[in-house]
Amino acid sequence: MASLDRSLIAGLSIFEGMAAADLDRMVGQARSARIAKDHLIFEQEQDAHSFFLLLDGHVRVVRSTPEGQDVTVRYISPGELLGIAHALGRATYPANAIAAVDCVVLAWPSQLWPTFAANFPSFTANTYKSVGTRLQDAHTRVVEMSTEQVEQRIAHALLKLVKQSGRKTEEGILIDFPISRQDIAEMTGTTLHTVSRLLSAWEGQGLVKSGRQKVTVVEPHRLLLVAEGRVEKG
Amino acid sequence: MASLDRSLIAGLSIFEGMAAADLDRMVGQARSARIAKDHLIFEQEQDAHSFFLLLDGHVRVVRSTPEGQDVTVRYISPGELLGIAHALGRATYPANAIAAVDCVVLAWPSQLWPTFAANFPSFTANTYKSVGTRLQDAHTRVVEMSTEQVEQRIAHALLKLVKQSGRKTEEGILIDFPISRQDIAEMTGTTLHTVSRLLSAWEGQGLVKSGRQKVTVVEPHRLLLVAEGRVEKG
DNA sequence: CGGCCGCTTGATGCAGATCAAGCCGTGTGG
DNA sequence: CCACACGGCTTGATCTGCATCAAGCGGCCG
C-alpha cells in the first residue's frame, strides 16, 4: 500500500481546527481502498465494522424495503463521512452505499471511533454538526414529500444535486456523475416514467438538457420557480 | 422557584452512566418551567437560546412551510430532550414545539452545551445516540412516504404513537394525549378527511375505537397487518 | 343556550401510477 | 467489424387513490 499522507485530508472542512499531528495520527490508522463503479461500500443490516471518508467519486446511499423497493437517502460527495453508524449508537449499517462512479475512500475500524471522539474534539464537533445537517435535510425531505407535487420535488432534487455536484459547462450546469431517470425517481418517490415526461417537458422549455444518465440544468433560476410552485403549467 | 433536585432526572436513560455529583451540577444550572396546553415552548427560526428536557406532558414538534402548511416532525415524551439545535451546530430552532397538554420542562441556556459536552461524556454520547435514532426515524419516514399507501402510513403512525405513549385501558391501548384527525393527517401527509374515513372504516372492523381527539387501538396485531399491507380491503 | 370546533360522509376531479409498446445507442461476443 | 441484445429512455392510453368540494351533525365550552 502506498503510504498515506495528511495532505489527503487537510483542508477538508470535517477536519477543520485539528492540529497537523492529530491529522497524522488519524491518517496513520486508516487504510485506503478503491471501489469500482456499481460496487457496494457497505451493505444494509451488516455489521458496521468501519466508517469511511470519501476522497474521490460519488456514492449513492439507498435503503431497500422488504418488498424490494429502493429509496435513495442521499448522495455523498468527496470530503464527506459515510457509514458512521457507530457514532450514532448503531451496530449495523442502515442502508446500502453504492459507488456511482469509481471511488477512493479512507476506512477506519469502527472501534476507533470512541478514541477519536475522546481525543479529537473538533473532529467530533464537526462530525455531529454534519449529522445535524443531515437530520435537517431528512426533515426537509419529509416536508417536501408531504406538501409538494412531484414536479416540485423533482425540481428541488435537481437543484440540490446541482448545488452539491454541479460542474459548469458551456450548456449550463452538469450534474457531475451518471444519474438515470430511475435514480431521480428513487430520490423523489415517483416513477421513472413521470421523471422522463417532466424532463422532456422541461427540455422543451429550455430549462434543462438531458440524455442517457446525464442531466444539465440550463436555467437554474427558472427551475427554482418551478420548485417553489410559482409557475403555471403551459 | 422551588429548589430542583437530581431525583427529577436520575433514572432517565439520557443520564445513564452519570455520577450523582454531575447530575447535581447539571440540575443546578437548569430552571424549570410549566407550559400550558397549546402554548409554544420554542418557535421556528427563532434564536435557539435554550435547550430543554421534558419532565411531564407531551410535545408536538411542527415544521411550517412558507405556504402555511404544517408538518408534524415528531412527538416528544417525558424524559426526552428537545430544542438541542446548538448541539447540532444550528443557531435557530428548526421547528415549532407546542405543548399537546400542560407540560413541565427543565431548560438550560444553550451556551452551556459546550461545557456539558466537554465534562459529561456519557450524557453527550447518550444525546448523540438519540440524535442517531431520530435520524433513522426520519429516514424511515421518507421511505414510508415514498413506498406506502396512505392507509399503511396512518396505521404505522398510530402504532408508533401507541408504542411511545400508549396506556392500557379495558378497551385497548389508548394514545395518552389529545390527538385530532388533523394532527394525524399532519403526521402522515394526508388530509383530515382521509384520516376520518379510515378511522371510521377501522372502527367498523373493530380495529380501533375513536372519538373527539381520542384514539384507542383495540387490535394492534391486526393493525400491524394493515401497516404492512398484508391485508385485502373488505 | 348558542356557537364553534372536531368530526363525518357523499360527490366529483385529477395528478400521477400503471399498463403497454416501441426506440435508440452502446458495448459485447461471434 | 458487424449484429444483436440489453439497458435506458420515450410516449401514448387507461386507471385509481386520494384530494378537493360540499354539506351537515353533535357535543363541549363559554
Side-chain angles (χ1 to χ4, degrees):
Chain A
M1 191 196 306
S3 89
L4 303 174
D5 180 302
R6 73 163 175 271
S7 68
L8 282 172
I9 64 169
L12 298 180
S13 70
I14 200 102
F15 299 106
E16 198 172 299
M18 286 183 70
D22 287 343
L23 288 176
D24 286 338
R25 226 162 289 154
M26 282 193 68
V27 171
Q29 298 180 262
R31 73 186 167 80
S32 78
R34 24 188 78 254
I35 319 284
K37 180 178 175 183
D38 294 331
H39 284 237
L40 282 168
I41 297 173
F42 55 77
E43 195 166 350
Q44 189 165 336
E45 312 294 323
Q46 285 200 343
D47 176 59
H49 52 81
S50 302
F51 62 95
F52 305 86
L53 173 71
L54 182 62
L55 288 177
D56 191 55
H58 289 275
V59 176
R60 189 158 31 106
V61 179
V62 177
R63 269 246 216 152
S64 294
T65 69
E67 289 76 32
Q69 293 169 92
D70 288 346
V71 177
T72 297
V73 169
R74 53 199 308 275
Y75 277 85
I76 309 274
S77 299
E80 290 187 85
L81 294 176
L82 64 158
I84 55 173
H86 259 59
L88 303 168
R90 278 191 63 107
T92 59
Y93 297 115
N96 296 316
I98 302 161
V101 294
D102 291 349
C103 287
V104 180
V105 300
L106 289 185
W108 290 272
S110 289
Q111 70 252 26
L112 288 180
W113 178 265
T115 324
F116 286 4
N119 295 317
F120 309 132
S122 26
F123 172 70
T124 314
N126 292 337
T127 299
Y128 284 125
K129 182 167 172 176
S130 100
V131 171
T133 306
R134 292 184 198 184
L135 184 57
Q136 285 322 118
D137 290 349
H139 286 153
T140 299
R141 225 168 124 192
V142 170
V143 170
E144 286 179 6
M145 305 256 337
S146 298
T147 62
E148 295 180 356
Q149 313 257 101
V150 165
E151 186 179 30
Q152 294 174 264
R153 301 207 302 270
I154 295 177
H156 269 133
L158 291 183
L159 290 169
K160 248 179 279 178
L161 290 170
V162 154
K163 202 185 323 180
Q164 211 190 339
S165 317
R167 205 191 72 214
K168 192 116 203 204
T169 69
E170 66 282 355
E171 291 186 309
I173 309 173
L174 171 72
I175 294 168
D176 204 16
F177 51 83
I179 185 162
S180 69
R181 309 294 186 261
Q182 177 66 32
D183 293 332
I184 296 171
E186 288 177 8
M187 299 179 69
T188 51
T190 181
T191 62
L192 79 139
H193 308 278
T194 298
V195 174
S196 177
R197 281 182 229 277
L198 275 168
L199 287 184
S200 297
W202 289 344
E203 186 137 11
Q205 301 169 226
L207 281 175
V208 304
K209 282 208 78 188
S210 74
R212 189 190 182 81
Q213 298 196 95
K214 172 164 126 27
V215 179
T216 303
V217 174
V218 178
E219 299 209 37
H221 185 70
R222 269 172 68 204
L223 190 58
L224 183 61
L225 293 180
V226 174
E228 292 180 347
R230 306 206 263 108
V231 101
E232 297 311 307
K233 295 183 219 171
Chain B
M1 193 196 305
S3 88
L4 302 174
D5 180 302
R6 73 162 174 269
S7 69
L8 283 172
I9 63 168
L12 298 179
S13 70
I14 200 104
F15 300 105
E16 200 173 298
M18 285 184 71
D22 287 343
L23 288 176
D24 286 339
R25 225 161 291 155
M26 281 192 70
V27 170
Q29 301 183 78
R31 72 188 168 80
S32 78
R34 23 187 79 254
I35 318 285
K37 179 178 173 179
D38 293 332
H39 284 237
L40 282 169
I41 298 174
F42 55 79
E43 195 165 350
Q44 188 167 337
E45 311 293 324
Q46 285 199 344
D47 177 60
H49 52 81
S50 302
F51 63 95
F52 305 86
L53 174 71
L54 183 63
L55 288 176
D56 191 55
H58 287 275
V59 176
R60 190 157 32 105
V61 179
V62 177
R63 269 245 215 152
S64 293
T65 69
E67 288 76 32
Q69 292 169 93
D70 287 346
V71 177
T72 297
V73 168
R74 52 197 312 270
Y75 277 87
I76 308 274
S77 298
E80 290 186 85
L81 295 176
L82 64 158
I84 54 173
H86 259 56
L88 302 169
R90 275 191 63 107
T92 59
Y93 297 116
N96 295 316
I98 302 160
V101 295
D102 291 349
C103 287
V104 181
V105 300
L106 290 185
W108 289 273
S110 288
Q111 69 253 27
L112 289 180
W113 178 265
T115 325
F116 287 3
N119 295 317
F120 309 133
S122 24
F123 172 70
T124 313
N126 292 336
T127 298
Y128 285 124
K129 181 168 172 176
S130 99
V131 170
T133 306
R134 292 183 197 184
L135 184 57
Q136 284 322 118
D137 290 350
H139 285 155
T140 299
R141 223 166 127 195
V142 170
V143 170
E144 286 179 6
M145 305 255 339
S146 298
T147 62
E148 295 180 357
Q149 315 255 103
V150 165
E151 185 179 29
Q152 296 174 261
R153 300 206 303 268
I154 295 176
H156 270 134
L158 291 183
L159 290 168
K160 248 179 278 178
L161 290 170
V162 154
K163 201 184 324 181
Q164 209 189 342
S165 317
R167 204 190 73 213
K168 191 115 203 205
T169 70
E170 65 284 355
E171 290 187 310
I173 310 174
L174 171 72
I175 294 169
D176 204 16
F177 51 84
I179 183 162
S180 69
R181 308 293 185 260
Q182 177 67 32
D183 293 333
I184 296 171
E186 288 177 8
M187 298 179 69
T188 51
T190 178
T191 63
L192 78 139
H193 308 278
T194 297
V195 174
S196 177
R197 281 181 230 276
L198 275 168
L199 287 183
S200 297
W202 290 343
E203 186 137 12
Q205 301 168 225
L207 281 176
V208 304
K209 281 207 79 188
S210 73
R212 191 191 182 78
Q213 299 196 92
K214 173 165 125 26
V215 179
T216 302
V217 174
V218 178
E219 298 208 38
H221 185 70
R222 269 173 67 206
L223 191 58
L224 183 60
L225 293 180
V226 175
E228 294 180 346
R230 306 207 262 106
V231 100
E232 295 311 307
K233 295 184 218 167

